Amino acid sequence: MSLRERAALVVAATARRLADPKAVETPDGPPPSAFRAGSLSDGAPGIALLHAELAHRDPSHRTAALRWLARAADLASQPGQPPAPGPQGLYGPVAALSFALHRAAPSPDSHAGARAHLADQVSTLAVRRADGEQARIAGGRSCTTLAGYDTISGLAGMGGHLLELDRPGPTAQVLATLAHLALPVRAGGRELPGWWVAQDATTYRPVPPAEGHANLGAAHGVPGPLALLALAWRQGIRVPGQRAAITALARWLCDRAEEDAAGIWWPGQLSLDPAQDGRAGRPSWCYGGPGIARSLQLAGIALDVRPWRDAGVAALGDALTRLERPRSAPLDDAGLCHGWAGLLQTTWRAARDSGDPRLTARVPWVAGRLLDLVDRSGPFGFAAGPGRRDPEEHPAGFLTGAAGAALALHTFAADTAPATGWDRALLLA
């Protein structure tokens, strides 16, 4: 049996385990909050994405997708879930439901009323968040927050969904707001990057600006805005300052790259105390070279800057090589965020866009390492990562669980771009 055939069988088995919301959501411990159960990271919308993607090849999966969407809609409408500031980014219940329903609709006219209603809510959330950021800039307040701009809970992730919702006004406002991140800010008498946050690099709690950091992770750092601005440019969506912002952010990342015997790497964050910034970590999507590399590649494709494209391809290849070195930071998790699935989807996308033989040759190797984590005795088919899992982090979910791992394996098994474009949630495409 070929590796792709093995992957397809694992995907099918995982989908069967994730078909019934009542069976999947039965908790071993305290139930998660309605917010987490309705989120894209851990809850119903992310599992709906798996069935929506599989339905493009096998329509029988559409029934399961609709079950999960109905559950997501119920959670999004519960008290405490209205459009509001705070954690309601792309991964919050409202935008997550919109993102999943947009992909699950079998035709452009399907669920048109619900999709339009949700698109309006997402636009409202995004405009409110952009207005807050613009008021911060106009008022001279120096530091943004991770939730103000990042992929998971901020404007970058929401902007990725807005690009496909035909809401030109809110989309332009989000892009223009994120372009401001390329402009430096002053805090404590210092000039700092525009995405500098007065938050602790580990706990994200508020700290004085001098104790804050510039985040380099694709989940919470500047690669997210860079990827969004580049994706918008490729779609022909432009705002003043966008080209300059792409250029500034890409150059900044290139200038902060480190190199050792294993190749190119980046720290997860930069502070005013270099001793705290650390060495190369695990080569994951969320924090590590692969997510950064893909954002540079997208920027290079958008503006046709070969050095950025080449740097992204080289850094991703180096990250894969680093995994094989003794005493390297291992990947021992299956998920998209910080595991093999995220590395697989990132590598597949980068290899397909670049045609680089080094990356293309490594895709099956990455898929094989993910398949090594298949555990048929587990409730959802994949071995749990080491350490304590957040009690609300569901092992069936999209970002760190089985649904996301199965989606990446499906890309590998089919060897074609996702029909639903689900990896827009990671700003990979």
Side-chain angles (χ1 to χ4, degrees):
M1 182 184 300
S2 73
L3 203 62
R4 295 190 195 280
E5 289 170 332
R6 281 181 56 201
L9 288 176
V10 169
V11 171
T14 304
R16 286 194 296 271
R17 293 174 186 239
L18 301 182
D20 183 358
K22 292 181 181 178
V24 171
E25 292 183 341
T26 302
D28 294 328
S33 65
F35 185 94
R36 291 292 286 266
S39 73
L40 185 60
S41 57
D42 301 300
I47 301 174
L49 284 180
L50 172 61
H51 294 287
E53 178 66 29
L54 296 180
H56 280 267
R57 287 175 174 253
D58 180 355
S60 68
H61 287 280
R62 203 162 303 283
T63 300
L66 291 173
R67 284 196 206 108
W68 282 106
L69 286 169
R71 177 63 177 144
D74 179 60
L75 289 162
S77 64
Q78 288 189 18
Q81 305 301 344
Q88 285 266 6
L90 175 62
Y91 282 68
V94 173
L97 175 57
S98 177
F99 187 85
L101 184 58
H102 183 80
R103 283 156 174 78
S107 72
D109 296 328
S110 299
H111 314 294
R115 290 166 63 190
H117 174 68
L118 286 166
D120 288 342
Q121 289 189 298
V122 172
S123 297
T124 298
L125 282 168
V127 167
R128 188 173 296 167
R129 188 71 59 83
D131 284 345
E133 281 293 286
Q134 290 168 359
R136 173 188 66 82
I137 295 166
R141 299 193 299 276
S142 59
C143 293
T144 184
T145 63
L146 300 179
Y149 75 85
D150 75 10
T151 300
I152 301 296
S153 56
L155 286 174
M158 296 186 77
H161 187 32
L162 282 172
L163 290 179
E164 57 200 10
L165 291 183
D166 192 26
R167 295 296 191 276
T171 302
Q173 189 170 346
V174 166
L175 294 174
T177 301
L178 290 175
H180 273 284
L181 292 178
L183 303 177
V185 297
R186 292 197 65 80
R190 298 173 181 267
E191 186 173 275
L192 299 167
W195 62 97
W196 188 272
V197 294
Q199 293 174 263
D200 180 77
T202 302
T203 65
Y204 303 148
R205 64 179 175 81
V207 294
E211 298 175 23
H213 70 286
N215 197 294
L216 278 76
H220 298 300
V222 72
L226 175 59
L228 174 66
L229 292 168
L231 289 168
W233 190 275
R234 291 181 71 183
Q235 288 184 216
I237 300 173
R238 316 280 168 82
V239 298
Q242 186 174 348
R243 175 186 281 274
I246 293 171
T247 300
L249 298 180
R251 286 177 174 170
W252 190 91
L253 285 171
C254 287
D255 289 345
R256 268 68 191 175
E258 303 282 351
E259 191 165 4
D260 59 19
I264 301 169
W265 62 275
W266 287 266
Q269 59 274 321
L270 292 175
S271 68
L272 296 182
D273 180 5
Q276 297 181 8
D277 295 337
R279 302 291 294 172
R282 60 191 174 202
S284 59
W285 168 77
C286 60
Y287 276 97
I292 299 169
R294 178 58 175 167
S295 73
L296 280 174
Q297 184 188 27
L298 288 171
I301 293 170
L303 298 190
D304 193 22
V305 179
R306 183 171 178 175
W308 302 345
R309 297 198 306 268
D310 291 348
V313 169
L316 182 51
D318 290 345
L320 294 168
T321 299
R322 189 183 298 277
L323 273 170
E324 298 181 311
R325 291 174 65 89
R327 296 183 298 278
S328 66
L331 282 188
D332 38 27
D333 186 278
L336 288 170
C337 188
H338 39 253
W340 287 101
L343 183 59
L344 175 59
Q345 192 69 20
T346 303
T347 305
W348 190 92
R349 282 289 191 182
R352 181 57 59 99
D353 279 348
S354 67
D356 182 79
R358 180 187 181 194
L359 293 185
T360 301
R362 300 309 293 277
V363 169
W365 179 80
V366 179
R369 301 294 74 72
L370 176 53
L371 288 169
D372 287 343
L373 293 177
V374 170
D375 179 8
R376 293 180 177 85
S377 66
F380 306 113
F382 291 90
R388 293 188 61 185
R389 183 186 285 268
D390 181 331
E392 290 204 331
E393 191 175 276
H394 204 291
F398 171 77
L399 196 58
T400 60
L407 279 164
L409 281 175
H410 179 66
T411 298
F412 169 72
D415 199 27
T416 190
T420 60
W422 61 264
D423 52 356
R424 173 59 60 91
L426 306 177
L427 294 178
L428 291 175

